[in-house]
Amino acid sequence: WLESEVQGMMAAMELYGDHVDVARSTGLLQGALSVTDSAEALRICEDFEMEHCGTGDLAVSMPFYRIQFITYLMHDLVSARWLWERVPEAVRSDEDMSRIWEVAKLLRNGDMQPAYAQLANAGWKDASVQAVATQLIEDLRNEKVGLVAKSHSTISIDSCAQLLGLSREETVARCQALGWPVDGEFIKPVKAHTPLAQVLNADQLQALTDYVCSLDTK
């Protein structure tokens, strides 16, 4: 009898500890999202997955999975793919998770315009995912701007518009705001004097060059 009581108390304490830990992680995640600290939000989600993988209430875990998944889309599509493959089927069935996966496939194939459209118009159920998606659009555009500035001396307005997911008019206005001259149908990128937040490697530059060349031949 005593042994049974002790085991019951220990189970209750463990359950209480899990609730406290989840509440703490939820608070930390909300704090990171409130200041748009995507790197910290991702770290919190990864830690949560490591500690609670395959356990607990799915409704509690789902917000962490969603933020982890969509945050990977900025710089780590490989990790996004592996996350999709290892999460339970019930997680993959979630509407927001399915939509994020569709964006991941578009980005992996270099289909920027439909990727931007999906991010902007997916009708996200989770308000936090909606906020991250909005920020992701801008982050992706800034990344493309940096890549274009580093790899091109001239780019057509149409090609640049497709990379940024903007109209021709919006593209011209954005580039002019950066101090890039526009000559007829072409934009002349100017390299930024400040380093990009992300170090651009040769593979990224080559991928962008190949993509722009494919646009110019269409």
Side-chain angles (χ1 to χ4, degrees), residues 110 148 151-156 158-160 162-163 186 204-218:
V148 167
S151 62
H152 286 71
S153 58
T154 301
I155 185 171
S156 71
D158 287 337
S159 293
C160 194
Q162 290 194 50
L163 280 172
F186 293 90
Q204 288 177 300
L205 294 176
Q206 185 60 53
L208 178 66
T209 300
D210 293 343
Y211 178 68
V212 173
C213 288
S214 71
L215 294 177
D216 290 339
T217 57
K218 291 181 179 179

Side-chain angles (χ1 to χ4, degrees), residues 81-156:
R81 178 182 177 182
W82 287 122
L83 177 63
W84 177 256
E85 292 187 357
R86 71 175 177 264
V87 296
E89 177 62 33
V91 175
R92 289 197 294 271
S93 299
D94 176 71
E95 289 185 43
D96 280 352
M97 290 291 289
S98 297
R99 292 183 178 114
I100 296 168
W101 177 235
E102 291 304 313
V103 176
K105 290 188 289 185
L106 291 169
L107 291 175
R108 188 175 60 196
N109 293 331
D111 297 328
M112 296 308 302
Q113 284 196 317
Y116 288 127
Q118 177 77 352
L119 285 168
N121 304 313
W124 306 103
K125 302 298 183 184
D126 187 328
S128 294
V129 174
Q130 173 70 69
V132 175
T134 300
Q135 183 60 45
L136 179 60
I137 292 172
E138 192 61 24
D139 288 347
L140 286 168
R141 284 176 176 152
N142 287 336
E143 181 190 49
K144 298 306 178 187
V145 164
L147 286 166
V148 167
K150 190 163 185 176
S151 62
H152 286 71
S153 58
T154 301
I155 185 171
S156 71

Side-chain angles (χ1 to χ4, degrees), residues 19 59 90:
H19 284 313

